[in-house]
Amino acid sequence: MTDPNQSPQTPLGVYDRPRKDGVTGVEIIALALTILWLVGTAVFFLVLEPMGMFSESGGALQFVVVLLAIFMPVAMIWVAATAARSSKVMREESRRLQTAIDAIRQAYVAQSQAAHEVAQPSVAKKLEEIAAAQRKTETALATFSTSRSPVEVRPAPVTKNEEVGTDQVALPLGTPPEEMAPPLATEDFIRALNFPENAEDKAGFAALRRALKVRHSAQLIQASQDVLTLLSQDGIYMDDLRPDMARPEVWRRFAAGERGRAVAALGGVRDRSSLALTAARMKQDMIFRDAAHHFLRLFDRTISQFAEVATDAEMSEMSDTRTARAFMLVGRVAGTFD
């Protein structure tokens, strides 16, 4: 008696165990041939033998001939039946195996596509949040520089005993806001190059806003964002790369202008698929090629200034940012380290 609370077993289809068939058509045909042969031999030996067909021979030889005549064809019939049944089983197993392989392949393709569709919106959302924060910062800067009410400057009354202009210092008008802003801290610069981790990364967004107020770092961050967005269209994400990290002195040599074997360690990206996709995009997509070369020029210029004030620990931390990884990948494809 089955338990009513127990759920019925789900049929597994092609993945279920093969069930042994009962009597098939092959066994029925073999059984019919066996009966027909036995009846024929019985009629032959019981009806024709008394007529003297084997009357002259006798003994053991006659007994052996009779056994061979009766059982040899029967054995051959059943051997053929067994071979036919085994061939049928092998064909069924081959069909089941091929069906299972096709199902596994389709499941793998569906899983890969689903993972790509899940990862791509998250990265796109992160980049959109970064772009929104940058636009907000630029809007605030523009409002700050343009919304000030003009102040009427009135000259102070000059007395007879005062000399005009002896102690005054000329102040230039129209000073850019970035020159009036305080210098960017190295920690904020490195954190901005790595971009915020998620929407809750308040420290990352704060560092990004401070970095966007400085002209040279804002240009590099914008160029890096453009390259990361284009690379994500091919499924290339910096978090998936695990490049070989170069020593700080190699970065300093590159910042000093050395090229070739001396700085070849900077091209530490070993992911063949990412390198192949980036190289193909560099050859075929003119927009990506222009964005990549613009990014490489800005990174080269910025790292030269950064190496003058950064310590070895800060150089190592900078080399592990998403912007630095993008530079390693794109720079190796572009031949920067050759």
Side-chain angles (χ1 to χ4, degrees):
M1 183 175 181
T2 60
D3 187 1
N5 297 326
Q6 184 178 3
S7 60
Q9 294 182 352
T10 304
L12 300 178
V14 296
Y15 303 105
D16 199 0
R17 291 179 177 271
R19 299 178 180 177
K20 294 183 178 180
D21 297 332
V23 179
T24 62
V26 177
E27 284 80 3
I28 294 175
I29 295 174
L31 183 61
L33 292 175
T34 300
I35 294 174
L36 181 62
W37 178 257
L38 292 177
V39 171
T41 54
V43 171
F44 178 79
F45 287 109
L46 294 178
V47 176
L48 298 180
E49 175 61 20
M51 296 177 63
M53 192 170 186
F54 288 94
S55 58
E56 296 181 358
S57 60
L61 180 60
Q62 181 180 0
F63 180 74
V64 172
V65 171
V66 171
L67 291 179
L68 291 175
I70 294 174
F71 295 107
M72 180 63 73
V74 174
M76 295 182 64
I77 290 172
W78 285 103
V79 168
T82 304
R85 185 182 179 92
S86 299
S87 177
K88 180 182 177 182
V89 172
M90 291 180 65
R91 288 195 300 270
E92 291 179 353
E93 291 294 333
S94 178
R95 185 174 63 255
R96 288 163 56 86
L97 181 60
Q98 185 63 37
T99 305
I101 293 174
D102 293 339
I104 293 173
R105 185 184 298 112
Q106 293 177 1
Y108 174 75
V109 173
Q111 184 179 2
S112 300
Q113 293 177 352
H116 178 68
E117 292 176 357
V118 170
Q120 186 172 3
S122 62
V123 176
K125 181 179 179 181
K126 183 185 296 184
L127 293 175
E128 290 176 359
E129 292 173 352
I130 295 172
Q134 181 179 356
R135 288 194 297 269
K136 183 177 179 181
T137 304
E138 292 176 352
T139 303
L141 291 176
T143 305
F144 177 76
S145 60
T146 58
S147 62
R148 294 180 178 178
S149 58
V151 179
E152 182 180 1
V153 180
R154 296 180 180 179
V158 180
T159 61
K160 295 181 179 181
N161 297 327
E162 293 180 348
E163 295 181 359
V164 180
T166 55
D167 296 329
Q168 293 182 351
V169 179
L171 296 177
L173 300 179
T175 304
E178 58 268 15
E179 294 183 5
M180 299 175 60
L184 180 64
T186 304
E187 181 181 359
D188 292 338
F189 177 71
I190 295 173
R191 186 182 290 270
L193 292 183
N194 197 42
F195 294 97
E197 296 293 340
N198 47 51
E200 289 76 22
D201 189 4
K202 297 181 179 180
F205 280 106
L208 183 62
R209 285 191 293 269
R210 288 190 290 268
L212 291 175
K213 294 179 181 179
V214 182
R215 187 168 180 271
H216 69 276
S217 61
Q219 291 177 344
L220 178 60
I221 291 171
Q222 181 63 50
S224 175
Q225 179 183 348
D226 295 339
V227 171
L228 292 177
T229 303
L230 294 173
L231 290 175
S232 66
Q233 295 176 358
D234 290 334
I236 303 174
Y237 305 103
M238 298 302 103
D239 292 341
D240 298 336
L241 299 180
R242 294 294 181 269
D244 298 337
M245 305 306 296
R247 297 188 303 273
E249 53 266 24
V250 180
W251 285 99
R252 295 187 186 279
R253 290 178 183 176
F254 179 81
E258 294 188 25
R259 298 295 183 267
R261 292 182 177 272
V263 296
L266 297 182
V269 178
R270 307 298 181 187
D271 190 350
R272 295 183 179 180
S273 61
S274 299
L275 291 171
L277 291 172
T278 307
R281 189 76 179 271
M282 185 78 77
K283 294 179 181 179
Q284 300 173 1
D285 192 345
M286 183 177 63
I287 297 177
F288 177 79
R289 183 167 58 251
D290 294 341
H293 287 300
H294 179 62
F295 167 67
L296 292 176
R297 287 193 299 269
L298 290 177
F299 191 92
D300 188 359
R301 185 179 64 186
T302 305
I303 195 64
S304 299
Q305 300 173 0
F306 178 76
E308 296 177 357
V309 297
T311 63
D312 288 348
E314 291 171 343
M315 291 293 293
S316 299
E317 187 177 358
M318 183 279 303
S319 64
D320 197 28
T321 60
R322 294 184 176 92
T323 300
R325 294 184 184 184
F327 172 73
M328 295 178 189
L329 175 62
V330 178
R332 181 172 179 180
V333 172
T336 306
F337 313 123
D338 295 340

